[in-house]
Amino acid sequence: MSSARLSQQTIVFGIFIVLFLVFSLFLPGFFSASNIVALLQNVAILGILGLGMAVVVIGRGIDISMIAALAVPPGLVLQMVNDGYPVSVSVAAALALVIVFGLVNGWLIAYAEVPSLFTTLASGLFLAGLGQVAFFKLDLVPWPSQLDAVAGFGRGSIIGIPMPVVMFGLTILVCAFLLRYTRFGAYLYATGDNPLGARTIGIPTRPLILRQYVFAALIAAFAGMVMAASIGTMQTRIYNSTMIYDVILVVVLGGIGLSGGRGGVLNAVTGTLLIGTLLNGMTILDMSYSAQNLIKGVILLIAILIDSVLNPRNEETAQQGDI
């Protein structure tokens, strides 16, 4: 099984290399400096979200609410500062919102035992609606000058590397450390592989689920702040887009099994490179939004079918947390 997963990751990376070369040779403007910078920035945001989703999926869950968490808390920071609130108060309010949101998701899934798909679908709609009703005056919330002191994590570059890509790299290091070198990571893999068995040997599976959804919400909000800083605004209605399907594509194509307990950071990075390049190429080709969705839907369906073959479920593993 390990060799099968390695093969999937290797194949996906190979497809990315071929796709990148083909686009560079035959697609006018793809290999231009401006487009490569735009590609890297878009890949960075998608990759940060993919890492947050990877943690949840490894723990045998799914988080459909990540795009709402990307848009609303960062938008709240920008809106409150624009309305005259101190930066510290605005950040604290958004951080509290993110943590409470993650805790509610985790509690409903871990203790109320509501399937993660339905929980996060409902909570994402609720958070997005709350933002439109209670927080935002406009769909586009501008970046206030008071936050320019911290805008560096989304703007500029270090030795030519755009800052969003640097933030993506830092997120990779944090997630790799958590998954490989901490008790949280070890427990996460054990719970994802066999929740009942993990609980039997004394792993606190319910608090662990709470932590993984709080972590995913924090990662999504961080990605939102990086995106807002890089483009100078927050599009609060981005939750209406199909971005969440791109994130799921990143995870599944990269080789992180939906059955839980399998995959890691490199899988998410590999999927990010392929999907980011594909999306950029389709944009340059001026493909319609509907055509792009059609292609992404077919790819997602194929990826799920491949995942069901490489990571089959059985009676022993089909326990709480199934999606």
Side-chain angles (χ1 to χ4, degrees), residues 237-305:
R237 288 193 180 272
I238 194 173
Y239 62 82
N240 285 330
S241 71
T242 59
M243 193 174 186
I244 190 63
Y245 302 116
D246 300 338
V247 178
I248 296 173
L249 268 171
V250 162
V251 171
V252 179
L253 274 181
I256 298 176
L258 291 174
S259 57
R262 297 170 175 84
V265 167
L266 286 179
N267 299 90
V269 173
T270 303
T272 298
L273 292 174
L274 177 58
I275 295 304
T277 302
L278 178 64
L279 293 177
N280 184 264
M282 290 193 297
T283 301
I284 293 177
L285 287 169
D286 199 24
M287 294 181 64
S288 69
Y289 192 64
S290 299
Q292 292 189 33
N293 286 340
L294 176 63
I295 292 173
K296 289 189 292 185
V298 171
I299 293 174
L300 180 57
L301 179 60
I302 293 172
I304 291 175
L305 290 173

Side-chain angles (χ1 to χ4, degrees), residues 17 30 44 49 62 85 93 101 137 146 148 162 166 173 192 199 222 224 267 271 284 298-299 310:
I17 295 295
F30 178 83
L49 291 170
I62 196 166
Y85 290 93
F101 180 69
K137 299 175 181 178
Q146 297 93 318
D148 284 346
V166 175
L173 294 177
R199 188 177 300 174
F222 174 68
N267 299 90
I284 293 177
V298 171
I299 293 174
L310 296 180

Side-chain angles (χ1 to χ4, degrees), residues 76-77 80-93 146-147:
L76 178 61
V77 174
M80 289 183 67
V81 173
N82 280 320
D83 289 344
Y85 290 93
V87 173
S88 57
V89 173
S90 304
V91 172
Q146 297 93 318
L147 289 175

Side-chain angles (χ1 to χ4, degrees), residues 10 29 78 95 132 158 161 167 180 207 212 228 233 250 279 281 283 318:
T10 303
L78 272 58
L95 187 61
Q132 294 301 317
I158 295 180
I161 303 174
M167 295 299 104
R180 181 168 294 189
Q212 74 186 48
T233 187
V250 162
L279 293 177
T283 301

Side-chain angles (χ1 to χ4, degrees), residues 120-173:
T120 56
L121 177 62
S123 66
L125 289 172
F126 172 81
L127 183 62
L130 179 66
Q132 294 301 317
V133 170
F135 298 153
F136 306 129
K137 299 175 181 178
L138 300 170
D139 291 343
L140 286 172
V141 184
W143 183 273
S145 58
Q146 297 93 318
L147 289 175
D148 284 346
V150 297
F153 60 79
R155 301 176 187 174
S157 61
I158 295 180
I159 59 172
I161 303 174
M163 284 306 298
V165 180
V166 175
M167 295 299 104
F168 179 32
L170 292 176
T171 309
I172 290 173
L173 294 177

